[in-house]
Short mmCIF file of all heavy atoms in Angstrom, two decimals:
data_model
loop_
_atom_site.label_atom_id
_atom_site.label_comp_id
_atom_site.label_asym_id
_atom_site.label_seq_id
_atom_site.Cartn_x
_atom_site.Cartn_y
_atom_site.Cartn_z
N ARG A 360 -3.26 13.47 17.95
CA ARG A 360 -2.96 12.10 17.54
C ARG A 360 -3.73 11.13 18.43
O ARG A 360 -3.88 11.35 19.63
CB ARG A 360 -1.46 11.85 17.67
CG ARG A 360 -0.98 10.57 17.04
CD ARG A 360 0.49 10.67 16.70
NE ARG A 360 1.29 10.95 17.88
CZ ARG A 360 1.80 10.01 18.67
NH1 ARG A 360 1.62 8.74 18.41
NH2 ARG A 360 2.52 10.35 19.72
N TRP A 361 -4.21 10.06 17.86
CA TRP A 361 -4.92 9.06 18.64
C TRP A 361 -4.66 7.68 18.12
O TRP A 361 -4.08 7.50 17.05
CB TRP A 361 -6.42 9.36 18.72
CG TRP A 361 -7.22 9.20 17.45
CD1 TRP A 361 -6.85 8.56 16.29
CD2 TRP A 361 -8.54 9.70 17.22
NE1 TRP A 361 -7.86 8.64 15.38
CE2 TRP A 361 -8.92 9.32 15.92
CE3 TRP A 361 -9.45 10.41 18.00
CZ2 TRP A 361 -10.16 9.65 15.38
CZ3 TRP A 361 -10.68 10.72 17.46
CH2 TRP A 361 -11.03 10.35 16.16
N GLN A 362 -5.09 6.72 18.94
CA GLN A 362 -5.03 5.34 18.51
C GLN A 362 -6.36 4.70 18.87
O GLN A 362 -6.82 4.78 20.01
CB GLN A 362 -3.90 4.62 19.23
CG GLN A 362 -3.77 3.16 18.82
CD GLN A 362 -2.48 2.56 19.33
OE1 GLN A 362 -2.25 2.51 20.53
NE2 GLN A 362 -1.63 2.12 18.41
N VAL A 363 -6.99 4.10 17.87
CA VAL A 363 -8.25 3.41 18.10
C VAL A 363 -7.94 1.92 18.17
O VAL A 363 -7.44 1.34 17.19
CB VAL A 363 -9.26 3.70 16.98
CG1 VAL A 363 -10.61 3.06 17.29
CG2 VAL A 363 -9.41 5.21 16.78
N ALA A 364 -8.19 1.32 19.35
CA ALA A 364 -7.86 -0.09 19.54
C ALA A 364 -9.14 -0.90 19.68
O ALA A 364 -10.09 -0.47 20.33
CB ALA A 364 -7.00 -0.26 20.79
N LYS A 365 -9.15 -2.05 19.05
CA LYS A 365 -10.25 -3.00 19.28
C LYS A 365 -9.81 -3.87 20.43
O LYS A 365 -8.83 -4.61 20.33
CB LYS A 365 -10.51 -3.82 18.02
CG LYS A 365 -11.62 -4.85 18.22
CD LYS A 365 -12.06 -5.45 16.90
CE LYS A 365 -13.08 -6.56 17.18
NZ LYS A 365 -14.15 -6.63 16.25
N VAL A 366 -10.55 -3.80 21.56
CA VAL A 366 -10.10 -4.49 22.77
C VAL A 366 -11.04 -5.62 23.18
O VAL A 366 -10.78 -6.35 24.14
CB VAL A 366 -9.90 -3.51 23.95
CG1 VAL A 366 -8.76 -2.54 23.64
CG2 VAL A 366 -11.19 -2.73 24.24
N GLY A 367 -12.16 -5.77 22.49
CA GLY A 367 -13.09 -6.87 22.78
C GLY A 367 -13.93 -7.09 21.54
O GLY A 367 -13.76 -6.39 20.53
N GLU A 368 -14.85 -8.05 21.61
CA GLU A 368 -15.61 -8.37 20.41
C GLU A 368 -16.30 -7.13 19.85
O GLU A 368 -16.30 -6.88 18.65
CB GLU A 368 -16.62 -9.48 20.70
CG GLU A 368 -17.30 -9.95 19.43
CD GLU A 368 -18.19 -11.16 19.65
OE1 GLU A 368 -18.36 -11.57 20.82
OE2 GLU A 368 -18.73 -11.67 18.65
N HIS A 369 -16.90 -6.33 20.77
CA HIS A 369 -17.56 -5.09 20.34
C HIS A 369 -17.04 -3.89 21.13
O HIS A 369 -17.71 -2.87 21.20
CB HIS A 369 -19.08 -5.22 20.53
CG HIS A 369 -19.68 -6.35 19.73
ND1 HIS A 369 -19.63 -6.39 18.36
CD2 HIS A 369 -20.29 -7.49 20.12
CE1 HIS A 369 -20.21 -7.50 17.92
NE2 HIS A 369 -20.61 -8.19 18.97
N SER A 370 -15.89 -4.03 21.74
CA SER A 370 -15.35 -2.94 22.59
C SER A 370 -14.14 -2.30 21.93
O SER A 370 -13.25 -2.99 21.44
CB SER A 370 -14.93 -3.49 23.96
OG SER A 370 -15.97 -4.21 24.52
N TYR A 371 -14.13 -0.99 21.99
CA TYR A 371 -13.04 -0.21 21.39
C TYR A 371 -12.54 0.80 22.40
O TYR A 371 -13.27 1.22 23.30
CB TYR A 371 -13.53 0.49 20.12
CG TYR A 371 -13.99 -0.49 19.08
CD1 TYR A 371 -15.30 -1.01 19.11
CD2 TYR A 371 -13.13 -0.95 18.09
CE1 TYR A 371 -15.73 -1.94 18.19
CE2 TYR A 371 -13.55 -1.88 17.16
CZ TYR A 371 -14.85 -2.37 17.21
OH TYR A 371 -15.25 -3.30 16.30
N GLU A 372 -11.30 1.19 22.24
CA GLU A 372 -10.73 2.21 23.10
C GLU A 372 -10.08 3.25 22.21
O GLU A 372 -9.33 2.91 21.30
CB GLU A 372 -9.68 1.55 24.00
CG GLU A 372 -9.37 2.32 25.25
CD GLU A 372 -8.54 1.48 26.22
OE1 GLU A 372 -9.13 0.74 27.02
OE2 GLU A 372 -7.30 1.57 26.13
N VAL A 373 -10.38 4.53 22.49
CA VAL A 373 -9.72 5.61 21.76
C VAL A 373 -8.74 6.28 22.73
O VAL A 373 -9.16 6.88 23.71
CB VAL A 373 -10.73 6.65 21.22
CG1 VAL A 373 -9.99 7.80 20.53
CG2 VAL A 373 -11.71 5.99 20.26
N ARG A 374 -7.46 6.09 22.49
CA ARG A 374 -6.43 6.73 23.33
C ARG A 374 -5.97 7.97 22.58
O ARG A 374 -5.60 7.88 21.41
CB ARG A 374 -5.25 5.79 23.50
CG ARG A 374 -5.65 4.50 24.17
CD ARG A 374 -4.72 3.37 23.78
NE ARG A 374 -5.32 2.12 24.20
CZ ARG A 374 -5.01 0.94 23.70
NH1 ARG A 374 -4.11 0.84 22.74
NH2 ARG A 374 -5.61 -0.15 24.13
N TYR A 375 -6.02 9.11 23.25
CA TYR A 375 -5.74 10.32 22.50
C TYR A 375 -4.93 11.32 23.29
O TYR A 375 -5.01 11.40 24.51
CB TYR A 375 -7.05 10.96 22.01
CG TYR A 375 -7.92 11.50 23.13
CD1 TYR A 375 -7.91 12.86 23.45
CD2 TYR A 375 -8.73 10.65 23.87
CE1 TYR A 375 -8.68 13.36 24.47
CE2 TYR A 375 -9.52 11.14 24.90
CZ TYR A 375 -9.49 12.50 25.20
OH TYR A 375 -10.25 12.97 26.22
N VAL A 376 -4.13 12.07 22.56
CA VAL A 376 -3.38 13.20 23.13
C VAL A 376 -4.27 14.42 22.93
O VAL A 376 -4.68 14.70 21.80
CB VAL A 376 -2.03 13.39 22.39
CG1 VAL A 376 -1.26 14.55 22.99
CG2 VAL A 376 -1.21 12.10 22.43
N PRO A 377 -4.60 15.14 24.02
CA PRO A 377 -5.53 16.26 23.85
C PRO A 377 -4.97 17.34 22.92
O PRO A 377 -3.76 17.56 22.87
CB PRO A 377 -5.70 16.81 25.27
CG PRO A 377 -4.76 16.07 26.14
CD PRO A 377 -4.17 14.93 25.39
N ARG A 378 -5.86 17.98 22.18
CA ARG A 378 -5.46 19.06 21.27
C ARG A 378 -6.53 20.14 21.38
O ARG A 378 -7.72 19.83 21.37
CB ARG A 378 -5.34 18.54 19.85
CG ARG A 378 -5.14 19.59 18.75
CD ARG A 378 -3.69 20.01 18.56
NE ARG A 378 -2.76 18.92 18.28
CZ ARG A 378 -2.41 18.52 17.04
NH1 ARG A 378 -2.89 19.12 15.98
NH2 ARG A 378 -1.55 17.53 16.90
N ASP A 379 -6.09 21.38 21.47
CA ASP A 379 -7.05 22.48 21.51
C ASP A 379 -7.33 22.93 20.08
O ASP A 379 -6.47 23.49 19.40
CB ASP A 379 -6.45 23.64 22.32
CG ASP A 379 -7.42 24.82 22.41
OD1 ASP A 379 -8.54 24.71 21.85
OD2 ASP A 379 -7.05 25.83 23.03
N TRP A 380 -8.54 22.63 19.60
CA TRP A 380 -8.91 22.97 18.23
C TRP A 380 -9.58 24.34 18.15
O TRP A 380 -10.09 24.72 17.09
CB TRP A 380 -9.83 21.91 17.63
CG TRP A 380 -9.14 20.59 17.39
CD1 TRP A 380 -9.22 19.47 18.18
CD2 TRP A 380 -8.26 20.25 16.31
NE1 TRP A 380 -8.45 18.46 17.66
CE2 TRP A 380 -7.85 18.91 16.51
CE3 TRP A 380 -7.78 20.94 15.20
CZ2 TRP A 380 -6.99 18.25 15.63
CZ3 TRP A 380 -6.91 20.29 14.33
CH2 TRP A 380 -6.53 18.96 14.55
N GLY A 381 -9.64 25.04 19.30
CA GLY A 381 -10.25 26.38 19.30
C GLY A 381 -11.77 26.35 19.38
O GLY A 381 -12.41 27.39 19.25
N THR A 382 -12.33 25.17 19.56
CA THR A 382 -13.79 25.07 19.75
C THR A 382 -14.03 24.22 20.98
O THR A 382 -13.17 23.45 21.40
CB THR A 382 -14.49 24.40 18.56
OG1 THR A 382 -13.90 23.10 18.36
CG2 THR A 382 -14.34 25.20 17.28
N ALA A 383 -15.22 24.35 21.56
CA ALA A 383 -15.54 23.59 22.77
C ALA A 383 -15.60 22.10 22.44
O ALA A 383 -16.05 21.71 21.36
CB ALA A 383 -16.87 24.05 23.34
N ARG A 384 -15.13 21.29 23.38
CA ARG A 384 -15.23 19.85 23.19
C ARG A 384 -16.69 19.43 23.28
O ARG A 384 -17.48 20.04 23.97
CB ARG A 384 -14.42 19.12 24.26
CG ARG A 384 -12.94 19.43 24.20
CD ARG A 384 -12.18 18.65 25.26
NE ARG A 384 -12.46 17.22 25.13
CZ ARG A 384 -12.11 16.28 26.00
NH1 ARG A 384 -11.45 16.63 27.08
NH2 ARG A 384 -12.39 15.02 25.79
N ASP A 385 -17.03 18.38 22.54
CA ASP A 385 -18.42 17.95 22.50
C ASP A 385 -18.49 16.41 22.50
O ASP A 385 -18.66 15.78 21.46
CB ASP A 385 -19.08 18.53 21.23
CG ASP A 385 -20.58 18.29 21.19
OD1 ASP A 385 -21.08 17.49 22.03
OD2 ASP A 385 -21.24 18.88 20.32
N PRO A 386 -18.32 15.82 23.71
CA PRO A 386 -18.26 14.36 23.80
C PRO A 386 -19.51 13.67 23.23
O PRO A 386 -19.41 12.59 22.64
CB PRO A 386 -18.13 14.09 25.30
CG PRO A 386 -17.57 15.36 25.87
CD PRO A 386 -18.12 16.47 25.02
N ALA A 387 -20.68 14.30 23.39
CA ALA A 387 -21.91 13.68 22.88
C ALA A 387 -21.86 13.59 21.34
O ALA A 387 -22.25 12.60 20.74
CB ALA A 387 -23.13 14.48 23.33
N ARG A 388 -21.36 14.65 20.75
CA ARG A 388 -21.21 14.67 19.29
C ARG A 388 -20.22 13.59 18.85
O ARG A 388 -20.43 12.87 17.87
CB ARG A 388 -20.71 16.06 18.85
CG ARG A 388 -20.51 16.23 17.37
CD ARG A 388 -21.83 16.29 16.62
NE ARG A 388 -21.62 16.25 15.17
CZ ARG A 388 -22.39 15.58 14.32
NH1 ARG A 388 -23.43 14.88 14.76
NH2 ARG A 388 -22.14 15.60 13.04
N PHE A 389 -19.14 13.45 19.61
CA PHE A 389 -18.17 12.40 19.29
C PHE A 389 -18.84 11.03 19.32
O PHE A 389 -18.67 10.21 18.41
CB PHE A 389 -16.98 12.41 20.26
CG PHE A 389 -16.10 11.20 20.08
CD1 PHE A 389 -15.15 11.15 19.07
CD2 PHE A 389 -16.27 10.06 20.89
CE1 PHE A 389 -14.37 10.00 18.87
CE2 PHE A 389 -15.50 8.91 20.68
CZ PHE A 389 -14.55 8.89 19.68
N MET A 390 -19.64 10.79 20.38
CA MET A 390 -20.29 9.48 20.51
C MET A 390 -21.22 9.22 19.33
O MET A 390 -21.28 8.10 18.81
CB MET A 390 -21.08 9.41 21.83
CG MET A 390 -20.23 9.30 23.08
SD MET A 390 -19.01 7.94 22.99
CE MET A 390 -20.12 6.53 22.91
N ALA A 391 -21.95 10.25 18.92
CA ALA A 391 -22.87 10.07 17.80
C ALA A 391 -22.09 9.72 16.52
O ALA A 391 -22.49 8.83 15.77
CB ALA A 391 -23.67 11.36 17.59
N LEU A 392 -20.97 10.40 16.31
CA LEU A 392 -20.16 10.14 15.11
C LEU A 392 -19.51 8.76 15.16
O LEU A 392 -19.40 8.07 14.16
CB LEU A 392 -19.09 11.23 14.94
CG LEU A 392 -19.63 12.62 14.58
CD1 LEU A 392 -18.56 13.69 14.78
CD2 LEU A 392 -20.15 12.63 13.14
N PHE A 393 -19.12 8.37 16.39
CA PHE A 393 -18.54 7.03 16.55
C PHE A 393 -19.57 5.96 16.17
O PHE A 393 -19.29 5.05 15.39
CB PHE A 393 -18.07 6.82 18.00
CG PHE A 393 -17.64 5.40 18.28
CD1 PHE A 393 -16.34 4.99 17.97
CD2 PHE A 393 -18.52 4.47 18.82
CE1 PHE A 393 -15.94 3.67 18.19
CE2 PHE A 393 -18.13 3.15 19.04
CZ PHE A 393 -16.84 2.75 18.74
N ARG A 394 -20.77 6.10 16.71
CA ARG A 394 -21.81 5.10 16.47
C ARG A 394 -22.17 5.04 14.97
O ARG A 394 -22.39 3.97 14.42
CB ARG A 394 -23.05 5.42 17.31
CG ARG A 394 -23.74 4.18 17.83
CD ARG A 394 -24.66 4.48 18.99
NE ARG A 394 -23.94 4.86 20.20
CZ ARG A 394 -23.24 4.02 20.95
NH1 ARG A 394 -23.12 2.75 20.61
NH2 ARG A 394 -22.63 4.43 22.04
N GLN A 395 -22.17 6.18 14.36
CA GLN A 395 -22.48 6.26 12.93
C GLN A 395 -21.41 5.52 12.09
O GLN A 395 -21.73 4.79 11.17
CB GLN A 395 -22.49 7.74 12.56
CG GLN A 395 -23.19 8.10 11.29
CD GLN A 395 -23.05 9.61 11.05
OE1 GLN A 395 -22.93 10.42 11.98
NE2 GLN A 395 -23.03 9.99 9.81
N ALA A 396 -20.15 5.70 12.46
CA ALA A 396 -19.08 5.07 11.69
C ALA A 396 -18.96 3.58 12.02
O ALA A 396 -18.72 2.77 11.14
CB ALA A 396 -17.75 5.77 11.97
N PHE A 397 -19.15 3.24 13.29
CA PHE A 397 -19.00 1.85 13.72
C PHE A 397 -20.35 1.14 13.59
O PHE A 397 -20.88 1.04 12.50
CB PHE A 397 -18.40 1.79 15.13
CG PHE A 397 -16.91 2.02 15.14
CD1 PHE A 397 -16.35 3.17 14.62
CD2 PHE A 397 -16.05 1.05 15.64
CE1 PHE A 397 -14.97 3.38 14.59
CE2 PHE A 397 -14.66 1.24 15.62
CZ PHE A 397 -14.14 2.40 15.10
N TYR A 398 -20.96 0.71 14.70
CA TYR A 398 -22.26 0.03 14.62
C TYR A 398 -22.92 0.11 15.98
O TYR A 398 -22.27 0.44 16.98
CB TYR A 398 -22.11 -1.42 14.14
CG TYR A 398 -21.06 -2.22 14.90
CD1 TYR A 398 -21.41 -3.00 15.99
CD2 TYR A 398 -19.71 -2.17 14.52
CE1 TYR A 398 -20.45 -3.74 16.69
CE2 TYR A 398 -18.75 -2.88 15.22
CZ TYR A 398 -19.12 -3.67 16.30
OH TYR A 398 -18.16 -4.36 17.00
N ASP A 399 -24.19 -0.21 16.04
CA ASP A 399 -24.98 0.04 17.25
C ASP A 399 -24.44 -0.63 18.52
O ASP A 399 -24.40 -0.02 19.57
CB ASP A 399 -26.44 -0.35 17.04
CG ASP A 399 -27.16 0.67 16.17
OD1 ASP A 399 -26.60 1.79 16.03
OD2 ASP A 399 -28.23 0.35 15.63
N GLU A 400 -24.01 -1.89 18.41
CA GLU A 400 -23.56 -2.60 19.63
C GLU A 400 -22.16 -2.17 20.07
O GLU A 400 -21.72 -2.55 21.15
CB GLU A 400 -23.52 -4.12 19.43
CG GLU A 400 -24.77 -4.77 18.92
CD GLU A 400 -24.73 -4.93 17.41
OE1 GLU A 400 -24.74 -3.88 16.72
OE2 GLU A 400 -24.67 -6.07 16.93
N ALA A 401 -21.46 -1.43 19.23
CA ALA A 401 -20.07 -1.08 19.56
C ALA A 401 -20.02 -0.16 20.78
O ALA A 401 -20.80 0.78 20.89
CB ALA A 401 -19.41 -0.40 18.36
N VAL A 402 -19.10 -0.48 21.68
CA VAL A 402 -18.93 0.31 22.90
C VAL A 402 -17.55 0.94 22.84
O VAL A 402 -16.59 0.28 22.45
CB VAL A 402 -19.00 -0.61 24.15
CG1 VAL A 402 -18.77 0.18 25.41
CG2 VAL A 402 -20.34 -1.33 24.19
N VAL A 403 -17.46 2.22 23.21
CA VAL A 403 -16.15 2.88 23.14
C VAL A 403 -15.81 3.54 24.47
O VAL A 403 -16.68 4.06 25.16
CB VAL A 403 -16.08 3.91 21.99
CG1 VAL A 403 -17.05 5.06 22.22
CG2 VAL A 403 -14.66 4.44 21.80
N ARG A 404 -14.54 3.47 24.84
CA ARG A 404 -14.04 4.15 26.01
C ARG A 404 -12.96 5.09 25.51
O ARG A 404 -12.09 4.69 24.72
CB ARG A 404 -13.41 3.11 26.95
CG ARG A 404 -13.18 3.58 28.36
CD ARG A 404 -12.91 2.35 29.23
NE ARG A 404 -11.51 1.94 29.11
CZ ARG A 404 -10.58 2.27 30.01
NH1 ARG A 404 -10.89 2.99 31.07
NH2 ARG A 404 -9.33 1.87 29.85
#
Side-chain angles (χ1 to χ4, degrees):
R360 191 157 58 89
W361 69 15
Q362 181 168 60
V363 184
K365 178 168 175 142
V366 295
E368 187 173 5
H369 300 298
S370 308
Y371 299 84
E372 201 168 273
V373 177
R374 300 153 192 159
Y375 67 99
V376 180
R378 171 84 56 94
D379 181 1
W380 291 102
T382 57
R384 297 181 55 189
D385 188 349
R388 180 71 189 141
F389 170 81
M390 287 308 296
L392 291 166
F393 172 84
R394 217 162 290 287
Q395 199 182 331
F397 282 57
Y398 50 94
D399 285 343
E400 307 95 294
V402 177
V403 64
R404 196 165 82 98

